[in-house]
Structure formats: structure tokens, C-alpha cells
Amino acid sequence: MSSWTRPWKLVVVLSLVVSLLAACTGGSKSELPELPENGAGKITIMHYGEEQFMSEFGNTFSVKFPEIELEVVEMQEYFQSLKPEDDGNKKLIEFIKNKKVDVAMLNQGSYEELASAGALYKLDTIIQDEKYSIDDFAPGVIELIREKGGNALYGLPTAFNSQVLFYNADLFKKHAVELPTNKMSVKQVMDLAKRFDSKSKDEKDRIYGIHTGYRSITDYFLFLGEASNMQIIDQKAEKVVMDSEAWKALFLDYAELVKSGKINVNDQNANGAYDPGFAGGKSALGIGQQWTIEEMKYATQRYGPDGKPGKAFEWGMVTVPVDPASPDESSLVELSEIFAVTNDSPNKRAAWEFIKFSTGPEMARINGRSTRKLTARTKYQKEINGKSMEAFTMLRPAKNSYYLHKTLNKNDVSMEFHSTLTMKLNEALMAVKDGKKSAEQAYSDLLPELQKALEEAKQKGAKEKAEKK
């Protein structure tokens, strides 16, 4: 052996020893100091309401951390302080600072804005140092939170909102229509709905192709456009872009459903009986959230317009319709409860302990049995009423969701455009329904009216902005 190789071997050995010592001691040390020996601490948490917070998180957390005092700042106070001319996110940052909030519960939009404003504490290092597992969250959740945080994690979710396409299997069998499948397009869903012809002339005995849930006829049309990730106006709010083949096809299909009476809306009739729509077995299809399952159960105890309680039926669910260009994601899947540590918090360790617990496996097991929310850690999601919840968790949150109000706000366009949009759409659909116009003519007439409304709303928004200065 050459003598010159020995020093290098000695260096390698010493390096390995140092690395092993670091791994056993300082190398795994968290960037945050531990709680005091008695576990005492205090954190102020921003949430929708104190009673709801304590029921869903606080009471369970206090069993494990009895010495950490919890104070809840209700978001209602923030909402009540907002004025029409306020920048909501700037106001929220001020509110968090004034109330000395340690942990903020945020929705997807607020999380992105506060992260980019530097108001939140970066969690990547502490997650890595403490080997906190984030591998079992719903598909795409961590990737989305990281992307919205500018390639960093500033929060973790406890739950997410998702919707599915429910179907009445008994009606499909009776009408000899093939069952829906996952990842259908909106057009495919509309085509299925068209195949349900009600033989009855009596409204109370009618069967519908699709039910609008709790939306108006017009709002449901826009909702289906959102599911297909179709834009109403361009990003500069200069042009209505509903003159595409996709929008035209949706309008024609939808107008046909409206005219033929194959689409229905929840209603409260004159004698006070409640029409539960899909849950009451009146529609073949309906898009809804997890509590629709509870509605179906309770529909058998309610009295419908015919004065009779609803009947139980066999049902199933598949994913909501998707944009064929992005079939694995949906704008109808959103993160609803993201907990984040604020950057100014003097109680970051106690705040992090709360986030670890509330977004961790223990709470996921509890939430996984609930019909009120979907746990973000999907491996803990349990069946509900014997049905797999896979359709709720199969799609990823869309990376580039389109929100009309956000585009209007960003370009200082008066929100009157939205009300004009729904009014004009309703007039067009009713003109088709009443036989006053063909669907083609109604659609053709609608476009220039919406363009004019956008231009007027943009002028009004600019004027309102100038008057504020």
C-alpha cells in the first residue's frame, strides 16, 4: 500500500464519524426550540368560529397538549370590517397582525396571497428535520400547496372540498341507459341526461335527467362551464370569450335540456313541502358534495310535493365531469382548510405542534369517518354508508382554476358585470324554453350583449377607482 493513500483514508473515516455524530445530535435538531419542560404555551388561532373550532380541533388537541392555552379569533370580525373598496388580502394581513394571530386557517386563494406577501412561516425545513410525513395526502395536494407558495410549503391542509357526479342506478336501469363513468366530459353528461324522458305530464310525478342542486338554472350553466375550465372573459377583462365552439356546444345542449324539461331545480312549493330533487329520487343525475349522501338518507323522512315521503333507491357516484384536455384534475376540487403559522408569531413551536396534530394522522382518522368533510390524508378516508369515497379523491386540484370574480377584481371591473351576465343568460335560456327563439339565435344574440355589458362595467370600475383616489 502506498503511504500517500493513508492520509486520504483517514480523512474519509473521520468524515464518516463526524457525519454519524451529527446525525445523532445536532444534525437532526429542529430549527424551532422545544416547548418548555412543563409543556406550557399559548397560541391564538384564526378560525370561522370558536365553538366550531373547539368541536373540530381544540378539544382533541387539548387532551394531548393540556398546558397549551388556545385563544380563537373569529373570522366574522374580519368579514364585518371589510368595506367594498378594501383589498381583502391586505386587510386580512392587517387583521392577523393586529390580533397577533399565531395560526391562520386559510382557503386556497388567501393562502397563495399571504404566502407571496411574506406573511407566513416557511415549513419545509422543520418538516424535513422532524421527518414529518406528508406522503399520504390526496393526489396533487402537496404539489399544489408548494406551487401556490412559490415552490415552498407555508401551510398544510386538514380537509379539502370535492364534488362527484351522483347517479340514480334504479332510474338508469328502468330507462335502459348505461351507467356514467369516471372522467366524463360535460357533453357526455348532458347526453346522458337527455335520454331520460318522463312520461308524466304531472309536475309532481316527473323524472328529470339532471338536477341543479341548490343553484339556479343560470348559475348551473356557468358551473358546468367552470367544471370544463372554460373562461368567460379574457385575463385582461377586455373581451367576452364565450364565442368558442366549446361554449356554443354547451349552450345548445343545455338549452335543449331546459326546453325539454329534463333539468330541475330545488324548490319550495306553496304548501311548504320540500322537493329534495336528486336526493328524493326525482333526477337521474346530480352533482353534489359528501353531504348529499346524508340528504338521500333523510329524504325518506321528508314529504315531497306529492305529500308522500321519498323512497330509498340504489345509487352510485363517479368523478365530476372534467376538461378532456386535463382529465386528471378539476377546478371543483379545492383546499378548504389550510393551517399556516404566521411569520410574526412569537409562539412558533406551539403553533407548529398544533399544525402537526391537526393535519396529522390522528385527526385524519377522526375526519375520515365524518360526512361533513373529506380528510386531506386520503388513506384514512372511510366508506360512508358502504360506499367507497374514491370518486371524491381521484382527481387532483386544478393548477390553473379560472374564477370570474378574480379576473374582474384584478382589472378593476365593476362586479355589476356578473349580475348582468346571469340576467342576460337567463333571458336567453327562457327565450329558448318559451319557443321565442331557437338556441342558435339566442346564443348569437347573447354574445354582443355580454360584450357591451363588459365594456360598460369596465368603464364604471375605472370611474369608481378614480373617485377613491
Side-chain angles (χ1 to χ4, degrees):
M1 181 183 296
S2 302
S3 59
W4 65 269
T5 63
R6 288 174 188 161
W8 289 107
K9 287 192 173 185
L10 182 60
V11 168
V12 171
V13 170
L14 287 173
S15 297
L16 287 171
V17 170
V18 170
S19 297
L20 287 169
L21 286 172
C24 295
T25 55
S28 62
K29 187 176 180 181
S30 170
E31 66 179 9
L32 294 178
E34 294 299 320
L35 290 170
E37 195 170 327
N38 63 1
K42 178 181 178 180
I43 46 177
T44 300
I45 300 168
M46 185 180 75
H47 195 270
Y48 294 128
E50 183 171 5
E51 186 175 340
Q52 180 185 352
F53 170 79
M54 293 306 297
S55 172
E56 294 185 359
F57 302 102
N59 293 333
T60 312
F61 177 76
S62 294
V63 171
K64 186 169 183 178
F65 295 91
E67 301 304 321
I68 295 181
E69 181 184 346
L70 302 176
E71 181 182 342
V72 179
V73 171
E74 297 191 347
M75 293 184 71
Q76 187 64 25
E77 188 176 344
Y78 158 69
F79 292 127
Q80 289 174 346
S81 71
L82 280 177
K83 298 175 183 176
E85 65 271 15
D86 285 338
D87 181 314
N89 288 305
K90 286 182 180 178
K91 193 82 173 180
L92 181 58
I93 293 172
E94 289 175 14
F95 181 79
I96 287 171
K97 288 184 177 180
N98 292 339
K99 295 294 180 180
K100 296 180 169 56
V101 171
D102 299 298
V103 177
M105 190 190 75
L106 306 167
N107 60 29
Q108 193 170 304
S110 296
Y111 166 79
E112 182 176 9
E113 294 292 339
L114 268 63
S116 66
L120 306 178
Y121 177 69
K122 188 176 175 182
L123 300 177
D124 296 79
T125 302
I126 196 167
I127 288 172
Q128 183 177 1
D129 288 349
E130 298 189 7
K131 297 180 173 59
Y132 183 68
S133 176
I134 55 174
D135 297 332
D136 54 3
F137 281 91
V141 163
I142 294 299
E143 291 90 335
L144 181 67
I145 290 183
R146 194 182 295 281
E147 180 189 324
K148 299 298 182 184
N151 201 32
L153 291 177
Y154 289 94
L156 292 173
T158 64
F160 66 100
N161 289 332
S162 182
Q163 301 184 55
V164 295
L165 177 66
F166 289 97
Y167 61 88
N168 185 321
D170 290 345
L171 287 179
F172 270 81
K173 184 177 180 180
K174 181 179 178 180
H175 289 257
V177 178
E178 64 273 14
L179 295 177
T181 57
N182 291 317
K183 303 180 182 180
M184 299 175 74
S185 67
V186 166
K187 177 166 179 52
Q188 287 174 312
V189 173
M190 295 291 97
D191 288 343
L192 279 182
K194 291 176 188 176
R195 295 172 65 182
F196 289 85
D197 255 329
S198 182
K199 306 297 182 186
S200 175
K201 300 286 186 182
D202 194 333
E203 187 68 24
K204 71 177 187 296
D205 295 325
R206 284 186 65 84
I207 294 299
Y208 299 89
I210 195 166
H211 184 58
T212 64
Y214 296 96
R215 295 178 175 86
S216 69
I217 288 285
T218 306
D219 286 341
Y220 200 71
F221 171 77
L222 295 173
F223 169 73
L224 292 175
E226 178 187 344
S228 301
N229 207 29
M230 300 191 320
Q231 296 185 30
I232 296 170
I233 60 177
D234 70 334
Q235 289 300 307
K236 293 183 179 180
E238 294 175 346
K239 187 176 187 301
V240 172
V241 292
M242 293 177 71
D243 55 348
S244 66
E245 284 302 314
W247 271 115
K248 182 177 181 180
L250 176 58
F251 183 89
L252 298 183
D253 283 340
Y254 192 79
E256 182 182 337
L257 284 174
V258 172
K259 184 175 183 178
S260 60
K262 295 179 181 179
I263 186 166
N264 76 321
V265 187
N266 263 343
D267 196 15
Q268 187 85 21
N269 69 21
N271 63 14
Y274 182 66
D275 171 17
F278 177 82
K282 304 288 288 181
S283 295
L285 297 162
I287 295 175
Q289 295 179 298
Q290 66 272 17
W291 50 77
T292 301
I293 299 171
E294 289 295 301
E295 287 185 339
M296 284 188 276
K297 184 163 64 174
Y298 293 126
T300 59
Q301 303 165 19
R302 294 177 180 157
Y303 288 87
D306 56 1
K308 299 176 183 178
K311 293 180 180 179
F313 57 89
E314 185 58 39
W315 58 274
M317 50 188 170
V318 294
T319 66
V320 290
V322 297
D323 175 3
S326 306
D328 297 322
E329 64 180 45
S330 172
S331 60
L332 304 183
V333 181
E334 288 185 306
L335 303 179
S336 54
E337 293 180 352
I338 303 172
F339 280 119
V341 180
T342 61
N343 219 3
D344 294 336
S345 170
N347 307 304
K348 288 186 175 69
R349 166 52 67 179
W352 168 238
E353 291 298 339
F354 172 78
I355 289 180
K356 277 199 299 184
F357 179 80
S358 63
T359 66
E362 291 169 272
M363 284 305 301
R365 287 188 182 94
I366 295 171
N367 290 333
R369 295 191 292 269
S370 171
T371 57
R372 292 181 299 170
K373 61 171 67 179
L374 297 164
T375 175
R377 292 182 184 261
T378 50
K379 84 173 189 179
Y380 298 101
Q381 186 66 57
K382 302 297 183 184
E383 291 184 348
I384 297 179
N385 289 4
K387 303 283 187 180
S388 167
M389 303 296 279
E390 183 184 16
F392 280 102
T393 61
M394 187 180 296
L395 300 177
R396 298 169 178 265
K399 289 185 177 180
N400 298 304
S401 297
Y402 169 77
Y403 301 105
L404 175 61
H405 71 275
K406 200 170 181 179
T407 306
L408 294 175
N409 189 55
K410 180 179 69 175
N411 293 284
D412 300 312
V413 179
S414 171
M415 288 297 168
E416 281 187 10
F417 174 74
H418 186 271
S419 57
T420 304
L421 168 69
T422 55
M423 180 185 71
K424 293 293 184 183
L425 268 172
N426 188 66
E427 289 173 356
L429 289 168
M430 291 306 103
V432 177
K433 181 183 178 183
D434 297 338
K436 295 177 180 177
K437 291 182 180 181
S438 67
E440 287 265 5
Q441 186 62 52
Y443 176 76
S444 178
D445 292 346
L446 174 67
L447 296 177
E449 291 179 358
L450 294 182
Q451 181 62 39
K452 181 182 177 184
L454 176 62
E455 291 168 3
E456 289 175 351
K458 189 156 190 175
Q459 289 173 3
K460 184 172 182 179
K463 183 178 178 182
E464 289 171 349
K465 183 180 180 181
E467 289 172 352
K468 290 175 190 175
K469 293 181 179 179

